[in-house]
């Protein structure tokens, strides 16, 4: 008989290389708290159902709590012989409390156990990540309030498009990260069901109470089908999808930070504490945090792809392939958490160089659409108005002037219905202030958005 907890039918010990290759203890010990919580709920239920005695349960719970303390304080360290966190804790429990410890693994399997751990772990991480996202949203709101009236440039195709307020740009990103919080909430609600008691794949002959363990662990209820419970990882995939989308949002804003920070734009001054220097060029102050944030998304997409690929084509029910569900998940959790926090701090400390932004407002005919709209409101069909303003822009380029500077006689030449009067007030602030449509960029409208989102937050 081999020495492992499952060694009864084996004559030989595991090959050392196999032991290393097989073990997940190196990474799944991260879930020791969840594993112990799951075991305590399980043995509590076993006692309530009369499957173990109250004394036995008490002894097991006490042993588990001691193990929790010892892991926490670093007194208890695992080795590859422990195979995974579930066997590691069980082995230490048996060593510590003796024979009674062998009763803990009644009416459960590592197949459901690792799923309980995974779901509890993610539930906890989701709460934490939502908290971090909300801190970021708070900073965005503060910035949006501060710059609600400050006029900036809205780009399409990275070309000057229309004037918008800086507050409006912040609120655009607010919506993305708000949806990230909500998406995580959906993910949390769907994963918050307990697989405990599904056992290896088919349930058990013991008179267990899965509703009770679900309740003890704060799940909304037990999962419905034992085979599904041990064999899908869609909740992790959903989490990784949420992470990928949110990291994509961060990378987009990080990209804007890098060009806002460029010598050509100089819209922002990054805080020294968020930049690095060059080992050769003494003048350099590089936006490394923004670039790293832009790049980190690659890891998280990779994490999602890794697990999607692991799961593809796997038959029911549990397969050892599924042990490969953890490292990428942990990597995504760590990367996402640190990215949100770094980004939030970078944003908080960034100085917006409004004078520099203002000095660019005269370029790129930002008010062209507004003129077309004014003409359309005065009875010229919009398509025609669009073409008239297009010709005005062409004249401006020839004359090297702005739209408001085009002389009356050129206006008349373009279209005899045109006059300075007809163009109305096309100053950049007037254009911004007039965009009061719901969700538009007018400061009044941005303030409405801020008030609404503050309420939500
Ligand atoms: N370490 C394993 C995992 O993470 C636990 C489940 C092992 N189950 C088994 N039948 N070998 O997937």
């Amino acid at each position: 008989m081999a020495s492992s907890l499952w060694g009864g039918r084996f004559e030989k010990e595991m090959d050392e290389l196999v032991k290393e290759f097989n073990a997940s203890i190196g990474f799944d010990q991260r879930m020791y708290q969840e594993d112990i919580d799951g075991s305590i709920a399980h043995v509590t239920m076993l006692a309530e159902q009369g499957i173990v005695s109250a004394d036995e349960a008490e002894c097991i719970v006490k042993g588990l709590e001691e193990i929790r303390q010892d892991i926490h304080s670093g007194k208890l360290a695992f080795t590859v012989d422990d195979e995974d966190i579930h066997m590691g804790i069980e082995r230490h429990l048996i060593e510590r409390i003796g024979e009674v410890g062998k009763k803990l693994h009644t009416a459960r399997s590592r197949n459901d156990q690792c799923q309980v751990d995974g779901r509890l772990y993610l539930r906890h991480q989701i709460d934490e990540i939502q908290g971090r996202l909300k801190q970021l949203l708070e900073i965005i709101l503060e910035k949006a309030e501060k710059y609600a009236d400050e006029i900036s440039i809205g780009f399409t195709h990275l070309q000057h498009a229309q004037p918008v307020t800086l507050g409006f740009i912040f609120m655009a990103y607010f919506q993305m990260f708000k949806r990230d919080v909500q998406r995580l909430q959906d993910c949390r609600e769907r994963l918050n069901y307990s697989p405990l008691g599904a056992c290896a794949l088919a349930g058990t002959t013991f008179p267990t109470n899965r509703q009770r363990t679900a309740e003890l662990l704060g799940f909304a209820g037990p999962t419905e089908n034992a085979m599904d419970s041990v064999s899908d990882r869609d909740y992790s995939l959903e989490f990784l999808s949420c992470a990928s989308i949110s990291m994509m949002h961060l990378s987009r804003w990080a990209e804007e930070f890098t060009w806002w920070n460029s010598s050509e734009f100089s819209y922002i001054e990054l805080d020294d504490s968020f930049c690095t220097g060059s080992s050769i060029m003494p003048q350099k102050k590089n936006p490394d945090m923004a670039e790293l944030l832009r790049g980190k998304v690659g890891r998280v997409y990779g994490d999602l792809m890794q697990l999607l690929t692991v799961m593809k084509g796997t038959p029911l029910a549990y397969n050892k392939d599924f042990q490969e569900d953890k490292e990428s998940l942990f990597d995504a959790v760590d990367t996402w958490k640190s990215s949100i926090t770094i980004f939030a701090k970078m944003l908080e400390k960034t100085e917006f160089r409004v004078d520099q932004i203002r000095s660019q407002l005269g370029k790129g005919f930002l008010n062209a659409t507004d003129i077309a709209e004014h003409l359309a409101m005065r009875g010229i069909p919009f398509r025609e108005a669009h073409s008239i303003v297009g010709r005005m822009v062409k004249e401006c380029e020839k004359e090297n002037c702005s739209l408001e500077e085009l002389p009356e006689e050129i206006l008349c030449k373009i279209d005899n219905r045109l006059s300075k009067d007809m163009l109305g007030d096309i100053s950049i602030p007037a254009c911004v202030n007039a965009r009061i449509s719901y969700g538009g960029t007018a400061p009044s409208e941005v303030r409405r958005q801020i008030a609404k989102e503050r309420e939500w937050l």
Side-chain angles (χ1 to χ4, degrees):
M1 185 176 106
S3 61
S4 173
L5 288 180
W6 42 252
R9 60 100 69 221
F10 287 83
E11 285 176 5
K12 288 188 192 166
E13 291 295 338
M14 256 173 147
D15 184 285
E16 283 304 316
L17 282 175
V18 171
K19 216 187 254 180
E20 285 282 352
F21 197 67
N22 182 56
S24 55
I25 186 69
F27 45 88
D28 65 13
Q29 53 182 291
R30 188 191 271 237
M31 303 190 298
Y32 77 90
Q33 297 275 15
E34 289 82 1
D35 199 77
I36 291 172
D37 291 340
S39 289
I40 290 175
H42 183 65
V43 76
T44 304
M45 178 278 292
L46 291 180
E48 286 172 3
Q49 297 296 106
I51 302 169
V52 301
S53 74
D55 287 348
E56 287 167 337
E58 200 184 309
C59 179
I60 289 173
V61 170
K62 194 164 155 277
L64 286 168
E65 287 298 1
E66 282 170 22
I67 289 173
R68 192 202 300 271
Q69 281 314 314
D70 288 353
I71 300 174
H72 185 71
S73 65
K75 247 198 258 166
L76 189 158
F78 296 103
T79 69
V80 277
D81 287 319
D82 288 312
E83 193 172 326
D84 58 26
I85 188 62
H86 328 296
M87 301 251 293
I89 290 176
E90 194 185 338
R91 185 168 77 83
H92 283 283
L93 181 73
I94 295 166
E95 270 174 27
R96 213 169 268 233
I97 66 171
E99 286 299 298
V100 57
K102 294 183 179 168
K103 293 205 171 182
L104 172 60
H105 209 56
T106 312
R108 75 171 189 189
S109 153
R110 278 186 293 162
N111 296 355
D112 56 345
Q113 219 185 326
C114 67
Q115 289 314 284
V116 176
D117 294 7
R119 288 175 191 239
L120 287 176
Y121 169 79
L122 271 187
R123 207 174 67 187
H124 178 175
Q125 293 304 325
I126 286 173
D127 294 345
E128 201 178 313
I129 294 167
Q130 283 182 323
R132 288 187 193 219
L133 282 169
K134 285 181 178 173
Q135 280 166 3
L136 169 61
L137 288 170
E138 186 64 48
I139 293 167
I140 296 176
L141 273 191
E142 278 163 26
K143 293 272 181 196
E145 248 152 25
K146 180 167 176 196
Y147 296 112
D149 297 290
E150 191 59 50
I151 298 174
S152 179
I153 297 152
F155 292 82
T156 61
H157 313 273
L158 211 47
Q159 309 252 3
H160 284 205
Q162 292 181 1
V164 295
T165 62
L166 208 42
F168 183 66
I169 296 175
F170 289 130
M171 290 311 289
Y173 280 108
F174 185 99
Q175 293 301 330
M176 297 179 219
F177 295 114
K178 175 185 177 184
R179 285 194 297 275
D180 291 346
V181 172
Q182 293 171 326
R183 204 173 281 113
L184 265 178
Q185 192 57 29
D186 291 346
C187 171
R188 190 190 196 283
E189 273 163 34
R190 234 184 318 280
L191 71 74
N192 196 26
Y193 288 87
S194 172
L196 188 52
C199 302
L201 74 165
T204 180
T205 54
F206 286 102
T208 52
N209 182 348
R210 293 191 57 214
Q211 279 75 8
R212 179 66 177 141
T213 44
E215 179 189 81
L216 286 169
L217 292 167
F219 286 114
T223 51
E224 290 297 325
N225 178 293
M227 199 173 226
D228 168 57
S229 311
V230 296
S231 69
D232 208 343
R233 298 292 181 269
D234 56 359
Y235 67 94
S236 299
L237 287 168
E238 210 173 320
F239 174 86
L240 288 167
S241 308
C242 294
S244 297
I245 293 171
S246 181
M247 286 297 295
M248 174 272 292
H249 288 151
L250 283 172
S251 83
R252 293 185 67 195
W253 207 355
E255 161 63 7
E256 299 225 59
F257 265 71
T258 58
W259 60 261
W260 285 351
N261 181 64
S262 68
S263 315
E264 283 65 28
F265 280 88
S266 299
Y267 286 3
I268 54 173
E269 178 71 37
L270 288 170
D271 197 74
D272 270 11
S273 62
F274 273 69
C275 294
T276 64
S278 156
S279 61
I280 174 169
M281 297 168 281
Q283 84 283 15
K284 292 300 287 290
K285 174 177 159 184
N286 294 325
D288 288 30
M289 291 312 104
E291 289 169 324
L292 271 175
L293 286 161
R294 191 175 58 186
K296 290 273 184 198
V297 65
R299 299 171 69 107
V300 177
Y301 287 178
D303 294 331
L304 171 62
M305 275 306 131
Q306 184 266 351
L307 186 55
L308 278 170
T309 311
V310 165
M311 295 309 294
K312 178 195 171 296
T314 48
L316 286 176
Y318 178 83
N319 305 275
K320 194 63 174 247
D321 316 38
F322 300 165
Q323 181 166 285
E324 290 293 310
D325 67 351
K326 289 172 210 35
E327 284 162 291
S328 54
L329 187 71
F330 297 158
D331 179 69
V333 164
D334 294 343
T335 308
W336 191 9
K337 274 161 72 174
S338 59
S339 298
I340 299 166
T341 299
I342 288 282
F343 189 89
K345 283 203 155 169
M346 180 174 79
L347 172 63
E348 193 174 25
K349 287 167 170 265
T350 295
E351 195 189 309
F352 285 79
R353 302 178 61 182
V354 291
D355 289 342
Q356 170 64 13
I357 299 174
R358 284 179 199 155
S359 74
Q360 302 301 307
L361 294 174
K363 293 182 189 165
F365 310 106
L366 287 169
N367 48 2
T369 312
D370 301 82
I371 301 174
E373 289 183 3
H374 284 180
L375 297 179
M377 267 187 264
R378 285 166 175 76
I380 299 178
F382 184 79
R383 196 40 67 215
E384 237 180 277
H386 183 288
S387 156
I388 290 170
V389 182
R391 277 174 280 149
M392 284 171 66
V393 168
K394 214 158 94 189
E395 288 300 324
C396 287
E397 281 178 336
K398 269 195 250 161
E399 302 288 321
N400 194 20
C401 69
S402 67
L403 284 162
E404 40 286 51
E405 285 162 358
L406 263 192
E408 193 87 40
E409 62 276 16
I410 295 189
L411 288 179
C412 282
K413 245 187 13 206
I414 292 169
D415 190 294
N416 59 16
R417 288 166 294 183
L418 275 190
S419 68
K420 283 248 182 210
D421 243 19
M422 233 183 138
L423 300 187
D425 185 355
I426 51 167
S427 67
I428 298 290
C431 294
V432 173
N433 289 333
R435 296 203 168 261
I436 52 168
S437 58
Y438 194 84
T441 191
S444 58
E445 188 37 39
V446 171
R447 289 220 163 77
R448 179 199 62 75
Q449 295 175 32
I450 295 171
K452 182 173 179 181
E453 301 308 348
R454 184 157 290 299
E455 184 78 8
W456 174 81
L457 196 61

